[in-house]
Amino acid sequence: MFPSSRICRHQELHLPDECWELVFKHLSDPLDHESLSLVSRHFLSLTNGIHTDLAVSDRVLPLIPVLLRRFPNLTTIKITRYFTGDINALLSQIASFNLPSLHSLDLSHQPTFPSHGLRQFSEKFSALKSLNCSHTRHDLDLVAECFPNLEEIDVSFRKYKIDIVSDWEKALTSGLKKLRKVTISGNFTHGDSYLLALCHTCVFLEELVVIQTGPVSMIGIANAIRKRPELRSLLVNCLTYGFFSEDLRKGNMTLEFIDALVSLKGLNCLDLSYSSISDEALCVLAEEGLPLRKLSLRCCKGYGYGGISYLLRKCNNLQYLDLQMTQFLNDQCVVELSLLLGNLKFVKLSDNAKLTDLSLFAIMRNCPLITDIRMESTGIGKQKLQEDCLVVNFHVKFLYLASNTWLDDQTVTMLAAVCPNLEMIDLSKCGRVSKGAIEVLWSCRKIRRMDLALLGHELFQFRFRVCFDVPTLFVLNLSQLSISNEELYLISKSCCKLKELDLESCHKITTRGVKQMVKNCKQLRTISLAACEKVSANVVAWMVSARPSLRKIRPPPRFSATESQRDLFRRHGCFVGKWSN
């Protein structure tokens, strides 16, 4: 009986590869795949198969052959802006490998356009679906010749002025007819004709993004989008306040643009950031009953509460709303608007100084599906609420509350109580908050990320003492905090599963405190010690040897690696130096 039961248990644990892949894909942190790959050769093979993205930098270049063989199911390759090698040679090298799932290439921010390399690359990957050439001097004729099946292209912020109409017309007539999403911007000569040619030829176009493009007129945009009534997503924020306002005074061009908008019967995403639009225009949009799911009027002028409330009343399935930098917005407006947003999941209300606690808690109360709230640089903390007025919201996972100078411990403690499933909170530059951050760690048992940079900088004394286990916290930013070695030790014991830690400009921290942290946090992958004046530069080599999980270290001042140390870092797969965010 006993042996057979053991066999049954063993059989129950045997899962098909497809099941394991589903489990691994749903892991909260893809970096956990590295740990799983060490369990067995079977798990190594599975984790290699679900790795889809590769970013190529100078330090990755020597490992390219190994990585391309290890990850056969890559879908996206990005050549980072800090890559200084030969891009043509790199693309030719990639083309020599079998990557059947590769469909996206990112060449943004490159100093030169790799024409030769792209030709060789296209011989192997002619079915490429997505290409990003933003901030790069690109050749659209060559792109069309090499990748006729492109469905998505970003050619924004081209680095030089050109008659882009003829450029586009040649590219569109020779290829690029399957485009579904186009992102454009920058400096070219005939903006209206350019957009018209694009929308006329790309019959499958569904998403159009136009940023800081000129010269272009509202009537030019209107004429273009009328050619593509199937558009589902439109972002237009190229029109400066002065130019757009002049159109408003004339009246007819605004009507042309709005008439064209309402002809897009399937439009579910509309972004008119940094433009000007009237209440009348918003009411016309509302009457048409467009199926909007996403709306951004960030930093828009010309409209008021009447227009936006009427639009939201008609578009009651909105899931994303961005009203940052809206001059008329106050607590009463937000409280009333929140009653119209029962399906809202994501809201941005940053840089609205008139908004206080009333707005924040009204959204939590009246928008039961809300998961992400961004209210940075507001008046949160000015208007205190009674606890009996609060409603627990189990859906809120992300709170971005940076630079709220009125926010204090009392309000943060209340937030922790009503958001028990919070996973990320940004309290950076909140000068009056101290113990409230610890209340978040105590009450929100799913917390994974915290940004506490410059927390409590207005307080005379600030003690950050965590004396309980926080097993879910993976990312912690403590930069520019006056924490001591003792406090850092308590954090390392309580948050022992930390993977990313920022201690930049923590001037009280010494080498001893850093060593204690590294010993206790056995999964630590990234740490910044920039401007930590009391930390010895010699600790870096010790850290790399003592903690094999480390992959990135921003060293303390006066660090200079010897050749043998650089070899040590490379063998351990750890990058030591500055990195971009």
Side-chain angles (χ1 to χ4, degrees):
M1 184 70 179
F2 179 71
S4 63
S5 65
R6 286 202 306 175
I7 293 173
C8 290
R9 285 197 296 270
H10 177 73
Q11 289 174 342
E12 289 172 355
L13 290 174
H14 178 73
L15 295 176
D17 288 352
E18 293 80 2
C19 295
W20 283 119
E21 288 177 1
L22 287 173
V23 172
F24 294 167
K25 286 178 180 178
H26 282 81
L27 287 174
S28 54
D29 191 343
L31 295 177
D32 289 331
H33 294 168
E34 181 173 327
S35 300
L36 288 169
S37 68
L38 300 175
V39 173
S40 66
R41 290 185 177 180
H42 183 211
F43 277 18
L44 173 62
S45 175
L46 290 175
T47 52
N48 287 347
I50 62 176
H51 194 92
T52 58
D53 295 359
L54 178 64
V56 181
S57 60
D58 286 348
R59 64 190 181 96
V60 171
L61 185 59
L63 303 174
I64 284 295
V66 176
L67 294 174
L68 295 182
R69 281 192 292 267
R70 180 180 176 185
F71 305 124
N73 295 325
L74 287 176
T75 61
T76 301
I77 292 180
K78 174 181 173 62
I79 303 176
T80 66
R81 64 190 303 176
Y82 303 104
F83 178 78
T84 60
D86 186 339
I87 302 179
N88 285 293
L90 173 61
L91 291 174
S92 300
Q93 184 181 26
I94 295 173
S96 66
F97 288 85
N98 184 30
L99 301 170
S101 301
L102 187 65
H103 61 73
S104 178
L105 178 64
D106 189 337
L107 299 174
S108 58
H109 294 92
Q110 297 304 319
T112 59
F113 190 68
S115 301
H116 178 70
L118 274 181
R119 289 187 186 279
Q120 290 189 287
F121 184 89
S122 67
E123 292 177 4
K124 188 69 170 286
F125 305 109
S126 60
L128 198 75
K129 301 296 183 184
S130 175
L131 179 64
N132 187 342
C133 298
S134 63
H135 300 270
T136 300
R137 184 171 181 168
H138 45 262
D139 182 345
L140 285 176
D141 285 337
L142 177 63
V143 169
E145 177 187 342
C146 293
F147 307 110
N149 295 307
L150 275 182
E151 295 182 1
E152 180 176 337
I153 190 169
D154 186 341
V155 289
S156 55
F157 298 101
R158 196 167 184 167
K159 289 190 172 182
Y160 63 103
K161 191 171 183 177
I162 191 170
D163 185 354
I164 201 167
V165 178
S166 58
D167 197 10
W168 262 107
E169 286 178 341
K170 287 189 291 183
L172 292 172
T173 53
S174 61
L176 299 184
K177 295 181 179 180
K178 297 181 180 181
L179 288 174
R180 294 182 180 274
K181 179 178 180 179
V182 176
T183 302
I184 56 176
S185 68
N187 192 15
F188 55 83
T189 53
H190 304 293
D192 290 349
S193 301
Y194 167 35
L195 288 175
L196 190 61
L198 173 66
C199 290
H200 177 75
T201 309
C202 297
V203 296
F204 299 106
L205 194 64
E206 295 178 342
E207 298 181 58
L208 179 60
V209 180
V210 185
I211 308 172
Q212 296 180 6
T213 303
V216 68
S217 68
M218 288 187 62
I219 195 167
I221 298 174
N223 290 335
I225 62 178
R226 280 198 184 95
K227 297 289 184 179
R228 291 273 68 83
E230 304 86 1
L231 276 178
R232 295 186 296 105
S233 176
L234 178 64
L235 185 154
V236 179
N237 62 15
C238 61
L239 304 172
T240 64
Y241 286 139
F243 184 83
F244 208 114
S245 297
E246 182 179 354
D247 285 344
L248 278 174
R249 286 193 295 271
K250 292 180 179 179
N252 58 338
M253 296 184 76
T254 297
L255 291 177
E256 289 276 355
F257 181 62
I258 297 302
D259 285 345
L261 275 183
V262 299
S263 70
L264 307 177
K265 303 301 182 183
L267 192 68
N268 55 48
C269 174
L270 178 61
D271 188 335
L272 300 176
S273 299
Y274 301 98
S275 58
S276 182
I277 190 167
S278 65
D279 281 335
E280 292 77 11
L282 292 177
C283 290
V284 172
L285 290 175
E287 287 295 338
E288 199 60 31
L290 298 177
L292 290 177
R293 296 289 185 273
K294 180 177 180 179
L295 176 65
S296 178
L297 299 178
R298 178 178 183 174
C299 203
C300 284
K301 294 184 177 181
Y303 76 102
Y305 175 73
I308 188 63
S309 62
Y310 190 71
L311 177 62
L312 297 184
R313 191 172 293 110
K314 294 290 185 178
C315 301
N316 50 19
N317 289 319
L318 209 64
Q319 298 179 0
Y320 177 109
L321 180 63
D322 186 347
L323 295 179
Q324 296 180 90
M325 293 180 280
T326 302
Q327 293 180 342
F328 65 84
L329 212 57
N330 57 31
D331 283 333
Q332 182 179 352
C333 293
V334 173
V335 171
E336 294 177 2
L337 291 177
S338 67
L339 296 171
L340 308 174
L341 298 168
N343 293 308
L344 196 67
K345 296 181 179 180
F346 187 110
V347 66
K348 287 185 176 182
L349 297 173
S350 299
D351 298 298
N352 288 305
K354 300 175 185 177
L355 303 188
T356 71
D357 313 54
L358 290 172
S359 296
L360 176 59
F361 288 103
I363 291 171
M364 293 185 181
R365 180 177 61 252
N366 298 326
C367 305
L369 302 180
I370 195 75
T371 61
D372 193 316
I373 301 175
R374 307 194 178 205
M375 293 185 64
E376 300 167 319
S377 300
T378 64
I380 295 176
K382 284 185 177 181
Q383 185 72 47
K384 302 301 181 186
L385 300 182
Q386 299 297 321
E387 291 189 9
D388 54 4
C389 299
L390 306 181
V391 175
V392 175
N393 190 313
F394 294 98
H395 281 85
V396 176
K397 294 183 179 181
F398 308 98
L399 280 178
Y400 294 83
L401 305 174
S403 303
N404 278 298
T405 56
W406 292 92
L407 186 62
D408 57 15
D409 288 333
Q410 179 183 349
T411 303
V412 173
T413 301
M414 294 172 67
L415 286 170
V418 300
C419 302
N421 292 330
L422 198 65
E423 295 182 9
M424 188 278 175
I425 189 168
D426 184 354
L427 297 173
S428 59
K429 301 179 183 178
C430 293
R432 302 187 183 190
V433 178
S434 57
K435 295 180 180 178
I438 299 175
E439 287 297 325
V440 172
L441 291 173
W442 174 257
S443 301
C444 305
R445 306 308 290 175
K446 295 183 179 180
I447 195 72
R448 302 173 61 81
R449 296 172 176 264
M450 291 189 78
D451 191 338
L452 307 179
L454 268 175
L455 190 76
H457 63 271
E458 295 182 17
L459 303 176
F460 180 69
Q461 285 186 331
F462 173 32
R463 301 282 288 173
F464 192 78
R465 301 176 65 88
V466 184
C467 303
F468 49 87
D469 288 341
V470 190
T472 60
L473 191 66
F474 293 156
V475 180
L476 180 61
N477 186 350
L478 299 175
S479 59
Q480 302 184 68
L481 264 64
S482 297
I483 59 172
S484 64
N485 282 342
E486 178 190 0
E487 292 167 296
L488 188 62
Y489 173 75
L490 291 174
I491 292 171
S492 71
K493 296 292 287 184
S494 301
C495 311
C496 60
K497 293 188 178 180
L498 276 177
K499 297 180 180 180
E500 298 181 21
L501 177 64
D502 192 339
L503 297 174
E504 180 176 349
S505 299
C506 290
H507 299 300
K508 292 184 179 181
I509 299 298
T510 68
T511 302
R512 180 172 64 88
V514 171
K515 286 188 172 183
Q516 289 176 329
M517 165 66 72
V518 171
K519 286 180 180 178
N520 292 332
C521 297
K522 294 180 171 57
Q523 300 180 32
L524 194 64
R525 298 180 62 87
T526 300
I527 185 170
S528 175
L529 300 172
C532 292
E533 296 290 341
K534 295 184 179 180
V535 177
S536 170
N538 296 329
V539 77
V540 174
W542 175 88
M543 291 166 61
V544 173
S545 299
R547 182 55 55 224
S549 62
L550 277 169
R551 291 295 175 265
K552 290 199 298 186
I553 300 174
R554 190 167 184 182
R558 297 173 296 279
F559 172 78
S560 178
T562 64
E563 188 59 37
S564 61
Q565 286 178 330
R566 282 193 286 268
D567 289 339
L568 172 69
F569 303 155
R570 282 194 290 267
R571 288 198 304 271
H572 282 76
C574 184
F575 171 74
V576 179
K578 295 182 179 180
W579 63 80
S580 59
N581 294 327

